[in-house]
Amino acid sequence: PMAKHKAKGKGKIKKVLGEFKRKTLRSSSGRKVTKRSQAVAIALSEARRAGARIPKPPKFKRIRRRK
């Protein structure tokens, strides 16, 4: 079972990053994706939607400074 989830995720990530490399990857708004980090984020979210077990991104924690 675990290998199936990994294979599903790997295939989706490979496909999306291939689209980015060929300059055909588009964001949800329809604009071309130009940043690799954005392409990776899209690939991971699509893999999660397909059912791959990929850990969720860490939540941003802001450090408050006292004056």
Side-chain angles (χ1 to χ4, degrees):
M2 191 62 173
K4 190 172 102 177
H5 289 292
K6 279 188 177 180
K8 200 181 281 188
K10 258 187 186 176
K12 188 62 99 168
I13 291 167
K14 192 174 181 179
K15 180 184 155 283
V16 172
L17 290 178
E19 283 180 30
F20 171 70
K21 201 173 178 183
R22 291 187 297 277
K23 308 274 192 264
T24 58
L25 180 63
R26 295 188 180 274
S27 67
S28 59
S29 63
R31 298 186 68 165
K32 276 188 182 176
V33 174
T34 55
K35 295 179 182 170
R36 186 173 170 83
S37 58
Q38 194 179 4
V40 170
I42 291 168
L44 291 176
S45 69
E46 280 191 22
R48 282 189 195 100
R49 245 183 283 142
R53 286 186 187 159
I54 297 168
K56 287 195 170 123
K59 291 195 174 165
F60 179 71
K61 291 179 183 175
R62 197 169 84 204
I63 301 167
R64 287 188 173 173
R65 290 187 180 160
R66 290 188 176 183
K67 288 183 180 178

